[in-house]
Amino acid sequence: MREKSNESAENYLETILILSKKLPVVRSVDVANELDFKKSSVSIAMKNLREKNHITMTSAGYIYLTDTGREIAEMIFERHQLLSLGLTALGVPAEIADRDACKIEHVISKESFDAIKRHMNKIK
């Protein structure tokens, strides 16, 4: 199982990716509002993501994913979407499926996720 700080970083990266599809630019305040976190908490997280070279920030405070940040964000987003869809198809209410997918996406192995993905592609 991955450590909690990594899960947190993955959630931030996924949120930045999702917001970047909806907004012209993404700022820390947008991330804070989306996650319902304090701006100070998000600022610390953004600093950590910059240090890991997962994001860059302009002087105006605009956040951009680096190639590695985007790769992680897209992997987590794909897992979230597929797991949520699969749970919903099994009859789990959408809100619960979404919440559970958010937890599972961080701990599932690549092998298990790939197997679920293959299975779901067969039944489409």
Side-chain angles (χ1 to χ4, degrees):
M1 190 160 120
R2 283 183 263 204
E3 58 189 79
K4 199 79 171 151
S5 66
N6 206 38
E7 180 180 328
S8 176
E10 290 171 351
N11 273 335
Y12 278 110
L13 292 170
E14 181 185 24
T15 300
I16 294 165
L17 176 70
I18 291 165
L19 288 172
S20 72
K21 294 173 188 235
K22 296 193 281 191
L23 302 171
V25 292
V26 178
R27 299 162 302 150
S28 290
V29 68
D30 301 316
V31 176
N33 290 337
E34 183 74 15
L35 295 172
D36 198 24
F37 288 171
K38 290 181 185 159
K39 191 163 179 335
S40 57
S41 300
V42 173
S43 293
I44 293 166
M46 294 305 110
K47 180 180 181 282
N48 292 336
L49 291 174
R50 274 197 320 273
E51 288 171 357
K52 291 178 180 172
N53 293 317
H54 292 321
I55 65 166
T56 59
M57 286 181 82
T58 67
S59 57
Y62 302 154
I63 303 168
Y64 297 96
L65 294 168
T66 62
D67 289 343
T68 57
R70 179 169 297 282
E71 192 176 306
I72 294 165
E74 287 177 348
M75 174 196 68
I76 295 298
F77 184 69
E78 178 191 26
R79 287 179 174 196
H80 186 103
Q81 296 292 99
L82 189 77
L83 292 166
S84 185
L85 184 70
L87 290 169
T88 304
L90 293 171
V92 177
E95 189 177 309
I96 294 170
D98 191 55
R99 198 170 45 236
D100 287 348
C102 198
K103 295 173 189 166
I104 298 166
E105 70 195 24
H106 302 287
V107 295
I108 192 169
S109 69
K110 181 181 180 343
E111 294 79 7
S112 292
F113 179 74
D114 288 346
I116 291 169
K117 190 174 169 181
R118 281 192 304 276
H119 176 74
M120 288 187 66
N121 283 334
K122 273 191 241 173
I123 60 174
K124 274 186 182 173

